Each structure stands twice: as structure tokens, then as C-alpha cells.
Amino acid sequence: LKDEMKNEVAELKKQGVTPNLTVILVGDDPASRSYVRGKQKASDYIGIESNLIELSSETSQNELLKLITQLNNDPNVHGILVQLPLPDHINEQSVIEAISPDKDVDGFHPVNIGRMMTGQDTFFPCTPYGIIQMLKSKNIPIEGKHAVVIGRSNIVGKPVGQLLLKENATVTYCHSRTKNMEQFIATADILIVAVGIPHFIDGTHIKPGAVVIDVGVNRIEDGSLTGDVEFASAKQKASYITPVPKGVGPRTITMLMGNTIKSAKNNL
Ligand code: NAP
């Protein structure tokens, strides 16, 4: 995918447009810094111009909103991404809503979420869209399948369920108040786990042959990263399973690159 995007960017450059992704990082959270580095590396590979604006954790919400307005008005900027989480004194939703929907390459703005819900083409949230692309690239059928999504966050759970529905799956959402979750897991043809608890699910209840997508990224005591799914036992049951790390994560970044290119094309 990245090589295809590289070619697309080369074509755009011939037409005088260099896709630009501007990332704003507030504060010095090591995990956020590492995600931002990953995004810059992918941008460099594909030929997307990436600007990183680093702000101190003391930055006020107003200062951040003013900066976003400037970037909204800058015709050379095609994608604006504010790395989350933000310091506690800044309201994340206000920041998300300040980004122009036309430059919202994360796909978090309510306008873009509304477009997605109503079946319009838009910037889809990167992790959910990456999951759909991954299933399609592996020729995994979605239509008519029972997809169970554990987690209902605005950035992963809810949108991945919507995109699965768009692909004609029958979708069940599970969350912290779901009772007897095992019964849903046991009937899932496609199981998406986005909870944020290490090894929340093991192979016990997984339906033989199910497709298991582990979205969780959890740092455990020994410093390593692990998913929400206990890989070894789940692998015994699954026909296809994503590892953590190097599973869903890299796709997320690639989708972000795709959205930035799409935005640049919209400006031709
Ligand atoms: P989040 O906002 O914390 O949402 C977690 C969801 O899990 C909530 O809907 C919550 O239910 C549900 N949950 C929590 N405890 C549960 C339980 N005991 N039983 C059932 N459901 C439970 O997290 P998120 O942002 O969606 O992220 C989830 C995970 O994915 C995290 O590990 C995160 O790091 C990872 N992630 C990875 C990528 C990637 O690119 N690979 C991208 C984004 C996130 P309630 O709504 O009822 O509270």
C-alpha cells in the first residue's frame, strides 16, 4: 500500500502539489512521541511533507485553537493531526471540532463521523479503516458475517462497527456493561477487540475458524507491548489473527497517509 501511495504522491508532485501533514504534539508523553515518529517515518517513505509542531504542556487551549485556525487557513497544509491524549486542561473535543473537516485526516470530526454514518465518502478514522482494508486485502469475507466488536470508543469501537455494517456484516457491540460476553464471543465470525486490557480475551470462547483482530496496545511490566488478546491460545482457534505489535498499528499509520493524499487530491 505504501508503495502505491509513493507513486500517487509522485504523480501529485508532477502536478505541483506536495501533500502536507502537519502534526501538533502538546507536551512530552513518550508514547505520543513514538507514535509521531512512526507517522513521520511513513510520511518520509511515501514522500509526504510532514511538519511537526511541538508545544509545551503549558500551552493554553486558546493558543492551540488559534494555531489550528492558522493551519485551517494555510492552503499548503492538507492534513492536521493533533496527537492525543492532550494535557488535562485542554478539552479534546473542542480541539477535534476546531480542525476543518476538510483537513481532519484522523476522521474524528463529528462532520466526518456523520458522513461515515450516512454512507458518504469521507476521511474514515484510521484504525477502523485500516482493519477493514486488512480484512479485504486478505480476502476475508465480511458480508453476512457476525462481527463482534468489544469496545465502543469514538476512535476505534464505534467506527469499526459502522464500517463493518457498511460492508454488510451483522454487528454486535460489547462493552463494560455487557452481560455474558462469552456468548457473543462464541458466535463471532469476526472478533474485534479494542478494550485496552492486556490479554483480556484468550482462546477459550473463540469460535473455531474466527478472524481475530487485536487492536489493544498495552505496555506490560517488562516494558514490552502486548495486545488485548492472549495470542498463543487464540491462535489455536482462529483462522486469522493479528499480532501485537506489528498488527493493526502499522496499518493505522498507512491509512493516515492515505487520508492525507486524499485531502491533497481534493485540493487539485
Ligand atoms: P477506550 O477509549 O479506553 O475504550 C475502551 C473500551 O473498552 C470502552 O468502550 C470500554 O467500555 C471497553 N471496556 C473496558 N473494560 C471492559 C470490560 N471489562 N469488558 C468489556 N468492555 C470493556 O480505548 P480505545 O481508545 O478504544 O483503545 C482501545 C485499545 O486499542 C487500547 O489498548 C489502545 O491503546 C489501542 N489502540 C490501538 C490503536 C492502533 O493503532 N493499534 C489505535 C487506537 C487505540 P465502556 O464504554 O463501557 O467504558
Side-chain angles (χ1 to χ4, degrees):
L1 269 179
K2 281 202 270 191
D3 285 333
E4 279 172 26
M5 289 180 187
K6 203 174 186 169
N7 292 335
E8 280 182 77
V9 169
E11 283 304 314
L12 278 169
K13 284 182 179 171
K14 279 186 204 158
Q15 295 175 62
V17 176
T18 301
N20 173 292
L21 172 65
T22 296
V23 176
I24 304 174
L25 178 63
V26 185
D28 204 22
D29 176 54
S32 292
R33 196 164 279 284
S34 149
Y35 292 139
V36 166
R37 262 199 307 275
K39 288 163 187 170
Q40 283 185 302
K41 206 172 138 196
S43 299
D44 290 348
Y45 182 82
I46 292 168
I48 290 174
E49 187 178 83
S50 75
N51 291 343
L52 173 61
I53 302 178
E54 295 185 65
L55 302 176
S56 95
S57 56
E58 312 297 314
T59 305
S60 72
Q61 180 165 318
N62 266 346
E63 285 171 313
L64 180 55
L65 294 180
K66 263 190 206 154
L67 172 62
I68 292 172
T69 304
Q70 276 170 25
L71 296 171
N72 282 343
N73 294 328
D74 183 342
N76 296 317
V77 173
H78 302 106
I80 303 170
L81 184 149
V82 179
Q83 184 64 49
L84 302 178
L86 289 167
D88 289 344
H89 65 278
I90 300 179
N91 181 294
E92 276 185 7
Q93 196 56 32
S94 302
V95 170
I96 288 170
E97 292 187 24
I99 297 171
S100 160
D102 296 335
K103 298 190 179 187
D104 166 43
V105 286
D106 250 342
F108 294 163
H109 194 288
V111 166
N112 286 324
I113 292 172
R115 285 177 181 153
M116 177 184 69
M117 296 276 292
T118 51
Q120 299 174 57
D121 189 29
T122 185
F123 300 121
F124 297 129
C126 300
T127 301
Y129 193 41
I131 292 169
I132 302 298
Q133 289 294 319
M134 180 187 280
L135 295 173
K136 287 187 172 177
S137 73
K138 299 288 170 191
N139 293 318
I140 292 170
I142 304 175
E143 182 163 325
K145 299 295 177 187
H146 183 207
V148 173
V149 180
I150 309 183
R152 55 172 168 179
S153 70
N154 288 337
I155 63 168
V156 187
K158 278 183 201 153
V160 80
Q162 278 300 317
L163 292 177
L164 287 162
L165 189 63
K166 189 164 175 273
E167 298 296 330
N168 299 317
T170 302
V171 179
T172 301
Y173 285 101
C174 297
H175 47 76
S176 65
R177 317 292 166 88
T178 301
K179 299 205 189 316
N180 302 323
M181 197 155 39
E182 303 77 26
Q183 72 186 21
F184 298 110
I185 295 171
T187 59
D189 302 308
I190 300 172
L191 179 66
I192 315 273
V193 192
V195 172
I197 300 176
H199 299 176
F200 179 69
I201 299 280
D202 66 14
T204 312
H205 301 288
I206 292 175
K207 181 176 169 181
V211 170
V212 179
I213 306 291
D214 187 356
V215 187
V217 179
N218 309 292
R219 197 166 291 280
I220 53 172
E221 280 154 23
D222 67 5
S224 64
L225 291 179
T226 194
D228 289 353
V229 177
E230 204 274 307
F231 188 82
S233 64
K235 189 169 168 265
Q236 304 296 320
K237 296 276 194 72
S239 59
Y240 181 80
I241 180 167
T242 61
V244 178
K246 296 193 193 294
V248 170
R251 283 255 166 184
T252 297
I253 295 182
T254 307
M255 294 302 114
L256 174 69
M257 301 297 118
N259 279 347
T260 305
I261 295 168
K262 184 176 189 158
S263 178
K265 282 184 178 167
N266 289 345
N267 277 280
L268 275 179

